[in-house]
Amino acid sequence: MADVRIRKRKRLRNKEVKALSEQLEAVLGVPVFSDSEAVDRAESTDFDLIIVGNDILGFIMDEKPFLTVRGVLKYRPVRRFVTIDMGAVPFITNGADCMGPGIVDADDDIQEGDFVWIRDVKNQVPLAVGQALRSSADLKAKQPGKAIKSINNVGDKLWKAGE
């Protein structure tokens, strides 16, 4: 796995997988992790990782789980999205934080500090995962300045670990 250092990888028990899956389903609105999938948790340098098979599909940061970009692609969540205009796409895919004026739409339930996934307005394809620095009303207001701190994006070390 590319540049991601993984330590202490351990298989989760069915009870732990179910609890994790329920947490993510409540946040994202779609079921994740089927009963037949083996789910592992491992430590990395920045946060804990959720590994299904050999793919890093999620992370746990500040005791809150969320999906990586690969996880968003696999499970197709219906909540916690932020839609950006096409002019912001090259910056987001290079790992830049999302700025307020580039935001076109956002899920109504987003609060400051929540993890969100970022998609483009044209293709609705997941580009990045980040942490909201504002609530959804403020995101939609397109105020200048940073709106979402980038955590994982297409092309970064977590993405490349799954290639």
Side-chain angles (χ1 to χ4, degrees):
M1 293 192 173
D3 298 339
V4 180
R5 294 193 54 144
I6 296 177
R7 301 184 316 266
K8 298 183 183 177
R9 183 171 173 167
K10 134 183 141 60
R11 180 72 32 99
L12 296 177
R13 297 192 317 261
N14 286 345
K15 188 167 68 173
E16 294 170 314
V17 172
K18 187 171 181 172
L20 190 62
S21 179
E22 287 171 355
Q23 249 183 312
L24 284 167
E25 187 174 349
V27 168
L28 299 168
V30 293
V32 295
F33 312 139
S34 70
D35 295 336
S36 61
E37 293 177 313
V39 180
D40 296 347
R41 183 172 173 171
E43 292 178 8
S44 84
T45 49
D46 303 323
F47 34 72
D48 285 3
L49 301 173
I50 300 168
I51 303 171
V52 180
N54 278 330
D55 294 329
I56 300 172
L57 296 184
F59 61 88
I60 300 173
M61 198 174 187
D62 303 328
E63 296 304 314
K64 293 192 295 188
F66 203 74
L67 298 176
T68 60
V69 176
R70 282 196 193 279
V72 172
L73 281 166
K74 181 173 181 177
Y75 297 113
R76 298 282 178 200
V78 294
R79 292 199 295 240
R80 290 274 181 96
F81 62 86
V82 173
T83 308
I84 60 168
D85 62 30
M86 295 307 288
V89 170
F91 300 103
I92 298 298
T93 56
N94 282 330
D97 292 336
C98 185
M99 306 306 265
I103 295 173
V104 176
D105 190 22
D107 184 22
D108 294 330
D109 297 332
I110 297 172
Q111 299 299 318
E112 185 177 334
D114 285 348
F115 293 118
V116 297
W117 60 281
I118 302 168
R119 65 185 184 184
D120 68 88
V121 70
K122 184 177 173 186
N123 304 310
Q124 307 283 301
V125 183
L127 301 170
V129 172
Q131 190 168 22
L133 302 175
R134 308 174 185 173
S135 66
S136 64
D138 290 341
L139 291 174
K140 290 178 183 180
K142 296 186 169 200
Q143 298 169 347
K146 280 187 192 175
I148 300 167
K149 182 183 182 318
S150 184
I151 295 172
N152 170 227
N153 60 283
V154 173
D156 71 0
K157 62 185 178 183
L158 269 183
W159 175 266
K160 288 180 180 167
E163 291 180 335

